[in-house]
Amino acid sequence: MIEEASKSGKVTVEKRQLFMEMRAQNFDVIRLSTYRTACKLRFVQKRCNLHLVDVWNMIEAFRDNGLSTLDHNAEINVSRLETILSSIFYQLNKRLPTTHQINVEQSIGLLLNFMVATYDSEGHGKLTVFAMKSMLATMCGGKIVDKLRYIFSQISDSSGTMVFPKFDQFLREVLKLPTAVFEGPSFGYTEHSVRTCFPQQKKILLNTFLDIMMADPPPQCLVWLPLMHRLANVENVFHPVECSYCRSESMMGFRYRCQQCHGYQLCQNCFWRGHANGPHSNQHQMKEHSSWKSPAKKLSHAISKSLGCVPIGEPPHPVYPEASERPQDLAHPTQLKPVSNNMNDTVFVSSGAPTPTTSTTLESPSRLDEEHRLIARYAARLAAEASNSSCPPTDLSFNFDANKQQRQLIAELENKNREILQEIQRLRLEHEQASQPTPEKAQQNPTLLAELRLLRHRKDELEKRMSALQESRRELMVQLEGLMRLLKDEEQKGAPTGGSPHSSPSHSASCTMPMPIRSTSAGSTPTHTPQDCLAGVSDDVLDAFSQGVPRNLRNDLLVAADSITNTMSSLVKELHSVDDGLEDEEVNMRNGREKVSAQRHYGNRHSTPSF
């Protein structure tokens, strides 16, 4: 009695252990029921080491333990359930490396107690085969599309069409999992659950079933199932971004970015708990990110997407053939053949799951002998079929035609891919040529043509101004030389009569004698030295500046020469200015002439003799 009491007490403690550990994780602080349910079931999955068992290995265990031949409503006791779980975890340890071995006894105890508490709450000590298959196929590891294919094989008929009563039974069993982790009010079973998943469809095939179950969003009663798989995929994803609330310099798992607040991002713990600060509010829309992309990758992806190099939207699952295959009979191994559309237990093995060997089954002498007999019988039948060449030639021709069509399709796709790449290269070259200005392009642009016309007109105006300035300079030099000649003549006439050497008749002040003068270049820059200014004039002008007896005439001519030089400097500067108008040059020319006239008048006044 004491031993039995201690054993029952130990079982009670083991039943409560998993739930006590789950409560210690404090998942109840998560404000969203979907994330809260997915986190709790993910914890149970990892604590029982079910995440290490792939769905293919789970189906193989169902077949090895004879569950494929049992009816869905058949019941198994707890002792047989423990045997099945033992085979699952012992085979798992054989596949794992020695450094990653698990505690098999602990895993069996935790999972067994969880399944009994979930599906045998009344304490009958029995579970249905369908309930056990649904629970283990849902909670094991692997891809969600493979799980859904196996579940569809259990709830569909021989024609590949889903049976609604079987799907209703599946919902009853699978929705007991959220109830077991105290989330029944959010995801409990109701009578309208089936119609909420398939409101309009009457005939549900495999692809339609996968489309609905893997849609975004999925059916409300099963929204936690794909989220649990996303949690498993992002547990080790690193985001090098700082959380805007807890200021953590990096994030692990999900990352949430606000669609209204610029640069506001939260880690999954802060978002799940409803934390917010600053202008951000929990009512703002948040976008969930399960991966990190650098700005360079985002830019390259956007460019590739705009050029059509990557598909815009990928299908959530591959499209499977709708035709159903007849379930295989394990009693006759010769009937085994590849099957890709029906997900029955035996079809899973033949469609790609590892075939059972002596290392992946519970070894026993009788089982080994039976396998040897089956192998020998199979080899003999193959030899008989090989000797009897009764294979019709139509099959070979059909296979050859199918392979030929596939090769033709591949060749057509490759040609189309090359054409697309050539088109992309051509568009890039056109874009580069369009971005570079060319003379032909300038000729086609009316704005550029107008600017060219204005520049030509401005050039003509400048050339005319240069010619006018050159002519004015030539006239000034001629007037200067005529003045020098008159002054020299007056000096020669007044010398015998004792007159002033600077005297000259008053009527000769305004006379000019035009003589050819060698003009300098209009573009040269004048200086303020008299010798440079008088370069190219006659020798009489140069004699007036020779080093001899100082005379008033030479001083007067120096003043006049400096005045002319300054005038010429201003004229050359005006020649180089583009923005001044023709009126400025005419004013300067008028001023220069007035200065020369003033100098001539000044010279005449000083050279006029007194009577």
Side-chain angles (χ1 to χ4, degrees):
M1 290 292 294
I2 298 175
E3 293 179 356
E4 292 179 358
S6 61
K7 186 175 181 180
S8 62
K10 183 179 180 181
V11 171
T12 304
V13 171
E14 290 179 351
K15 287 182 179 180
R16 295 179 179 178
Q17 179 182 355
L18 183 62
F19 296 101
M20 292 172 62
E21 292 179 358
M22 185 178 65
R23 289 182 182 276
Q25 298 295 321
N26 200 18
F27 291 122
D28 292 329
V29 299
I30 300 176
R31 62 189 180 96
L32 300 176
S33 60
T34 305
Y35 289 93
R36 188 169 60 246
T37 305
C39 289
K40 290 181 179 179
L41 292 177
R42 175 63 178 170
F43 173 78
V44 174
Q45 182 189 42
K46 295 180 66 177
R47 190 67 182 85
C48 298
N49 290 315
L50 278 175
H51 67 293
L52 301 175
V53 183
D54 191 77
V55 62
W56 301 96
N57 302 117
M58 190 66 71
I59 297 169
E60 181 184 352
F62 294 161
R63 189 203 62 185
D64 292 342
N65 288 276
L67 299 179
S68 303
T69 58
L70 296 178
D71 187 74
H72 284 174
N73 296 324
E75 295 182 345
I76 58 175
N77 53 23
V78 177
S79 60
R80 186 173 180 184
L81 176 61
E82 185 176 2
T83 303
I84 296 172
L85 297 181
S86 300
S87 66
I88 292 173
F89 285 110
Y90 277 112
Q91 293 301 324
L92 173 63
N93 251 359
K94 290 182 180 180
R95 293 189 297 269
L96 294 175
T98 56
T99 56
H100 293 77
Q101 297 289 310
I102 63 171
N103 189 345
V104 176
E105 297 296 333
Q106 184 183 15
S107 300
I108 294 172
L110 292 174
L111 182 57
L112 180 63
N113 293 327
F114 179 75
M115 293 182 68
V116 170
T118 303
Y119 295 100
D120 188 26
S121 58
E122 297 179 358
H124 297 297
K126 294 182 179 180
L127 282 75
T128 62
V129 174
F130 188 70
M132 187 194 65
K133 285 184 176 181
S134 301
M135 186 271 174
L136 293 178
T138 304
M139 295 295 292
C140 68
K143 297 181 180 179
I144 186 173
V145 63
D146 296 333
K147 295 181 181 181
L148 294 175
R149 288 179 64 196
Y150 173 72
I151 291 170
F152 185 81
S153 69
Q154 301 299 306
I155 61 176
S156 60
D157 55 13
S158 58
S159 63
T161 305
M162 189 188 76
V163 180
F164 279 91
K166 290 185 178 181
F167 180 72
D168 182 75
Q169 185 181 2
F170 166 72
L171 286 183
R172 288 177 184 269
E173 302 300 339
V174 78
L175 291 180
K176 291 180 181 179
L177 293 173
T179 305
V181 293
F182 315 106
E183 296 296 334
S186 300
F187 300 104
Y189 172 80
T190 61
E191 296 179 357
H192 304 287
S193 298
V194 177
R195 286 303 170 187
T196 56
C197 297
F198 306 101
Q200 299 177 355
Q201 291 84 355
K202 296 181 179 180
K203 184 178 180 181
I204 307 300
L205 301 178
L206 175 59
N207 292 316
T208 306
F209 178 79
L210 294 177
D211 290 338
I212 294 175
M213 291 299 168
M214 301 180 67
D216 188 17
Q220 182 60 31
C221 59
L222 295 175
V223 69
W224 51 269
L225 181 58
L227 180 58
M228 185 177 69
H229 286 79
R230 295 207 309 270
L231 282 174
N233 294 331
V234 302
E235 282 183 348
N236 298 322
V237 175
F238 175 77
H239 304 271
V241 182
E242 181 182 7
C243 178
S244 299
Y245 183 83
C246 65
R247 299 302 176 184
S248 176
E249 296 182 355
S250 59
M251 302 181 189
M252 295 293 292
F254 286 118
R255 173 171 56 91
Y256 297 90
R257 182 167 56 87
C258 182
Q259 300 298 297
Q260 299 182 22
C261 304
H262 178 71
Y264 193 89
Q265 303 189 73
L266 293 175
C267 62
Q268 65 179 16
N269 292 330
C270 294
F271 175 74
W272 290 351
R273 287 158 176 77
H275 294 162
N277 59 346
H280 179 70
S281 172
N282 289 330
Q283 304 300 324
H284 291 181
Q285 185 180 2
M286 302 290 286
K287 185 176 181 181
E288 183 180 272
H289 295 272
S290 58
S291 62
W292 165 256
K293 290 183 180 180
S294 62
K297 289 184 178 180
K298 290 181 180 179
L299 179 60
S300 62
H301 181 76
I303 294 174
S304 302
K305 188 176 180 180
S306 63
L307 294 175
C309 299
V310 295
I312 297 177
E314 297 181 357
H317 64 85
V319 179
Y320 299 98
E322 300 292 353
S324 176
E325 290 286 341
R326 181 173 57 86
Q328 305 298 325
D329 186 6
L330 286 179
H332 302 283
T334 56
Q335 296 180 358
L336 291 176
K337 58 183 179 179
V339 178
S340 61
N341 58 337
N342 194 356
M343 301 300 291
N344 290 318
D345 296 338
T346 57
V347 179
F348 254 92
V349 177
S350 61
S351 63
T355 56
T357 59
T358 56
S359 62
T360 60
T361 58
L362 296 176
E363 298 179 0
S364 63
S366 60
R367 191 180 185 88
L368 291 176
D369 294 340
E370 182 181 359
E371 288 183 355
H372 286 310
R373 286 195 297 270
L374 290 174
I375 293 173
R377 187 186 306 170
Y378 183 46
R381 186 168 296 181
L382 287 177
E385 291 179 356
S387 61
N388 185 12
S389 59
S390 61
C391 182
T394 57
D395 295 338
L396 295 176
S397 62
F398 176 77
N399 293 334
F400 178 78
D401 293 338
N403 294 334
K404 186 177 180 180
Q405 292 178 358
Q406 291 178 358
R407 287 195 296 270
Q408 292 178 355
L409 179 61
I410 292 173
E412 292 176 359
L413 293 175
E414 289 178 350
N415 292 332
K416 187 176 294 185
N417 186 25
R418 283 194 292 268
E419 292 176 0
I420 292 173
L421 293 177
Q422 292 176 359
E423 184 68 16
I424 292 173
Q425 187 66 21
R426 185 183 64 80
L427 292 175
R428 287 179 178 173
L429 292 175
E430 290 181 358
H431 179 69
E432 292 176 357
Q433 293 176 0
S435 61
Q436 296 178 357
T438 57
E440 294 79 8
K441 186 175 180 181
Q443 292 178 2
Q444 297 176 0
N445 194 341
T447 306
L448 295 178
L449 291 175
E451 292 179 357
L452 289 175
R453 293 194 194 97
L454 291 176
L455 290 175
R456 292 192 184 98
H457 183 66
R458 186 64 175 169
K459 180 181 178 182
D460 296 336
E461 291 180 355
L462 291 176
E463 290 177 354
K464 292 178 181 179
R465 288 174 58 189
M466 185 181 296
S467 301
L469 291 174
Q470 191 73 14
E471 186 66 26
S472 300
R473 183 186 179 202
R474 187 179 295 108
E475 291 177 0
L476 291 175
M477 295 300 294
V478 168
Q479 292 177 8
L480 178 61
E481 188 171 1
L483 179 61
M484 292 294 296
R485 287 181 177 275
L486 290 174
L487 294 175
K488 186 176 180 182
D489 293 338
E490 290 296 330
E491 288 178 354
Q492 293 177 358
K493 292 178 180 180
T497 59
S500 175
H502 298 285
S503 63
S504 62
S506 59
H507 67 274
S508 64
S510 60
C511 297
T512 58
M513 297 178 64
M515 295 181 66
I517 300 175
R518 184 181 58 188
S519 61
T520 58
S521 176
S524 61
T525 303
T527 60
H528 293 284
T529 59
Q531 288 80 4
D532 294 338
C533 296
L534 297 176
V537 300
S538 61
D539 296 333
D540 296 331
V541 179
L542 294 176
D543 293 336
F545 295 95
S546 59
Q547 298 296 331
V549 179
R551 298 181 299 174
N552 294 332
L553 176 61
R554 187 175 64 181
N555 295 333
D556 297 338
L557 290 177
L558 284 174
V559 173
D562 290 337
S563 174
I564 294 173
T565 301
N566 294 334
T567 304
M568 294 301 299
S569 299
S570 63
L571 291 176
V572 173
K573 290 181 181 179
E574 289 295 330
L575 177 63
H576 287 283
S577 65
V578 179
D579 297 330
D580 295 339
L582 292 173
E583 293 79 8
D584 297 333
E585 279 77 9
E586 292 177 357
V587 171
N588 291 332
M589 290 165 56
R590 202 178 297 116
N591 293 335
R593 291 175 180 176
E594 290 176 357
K595 289 182 180 180
V596 173
S597 299
Q599 293 296 333
R600 288 165 55 188
H601 180 68
Y602 178 80
N604 292 333
R605 187 182 62 183
H606 284 276
S607 60
T608 302
S610 58
F611 295 96

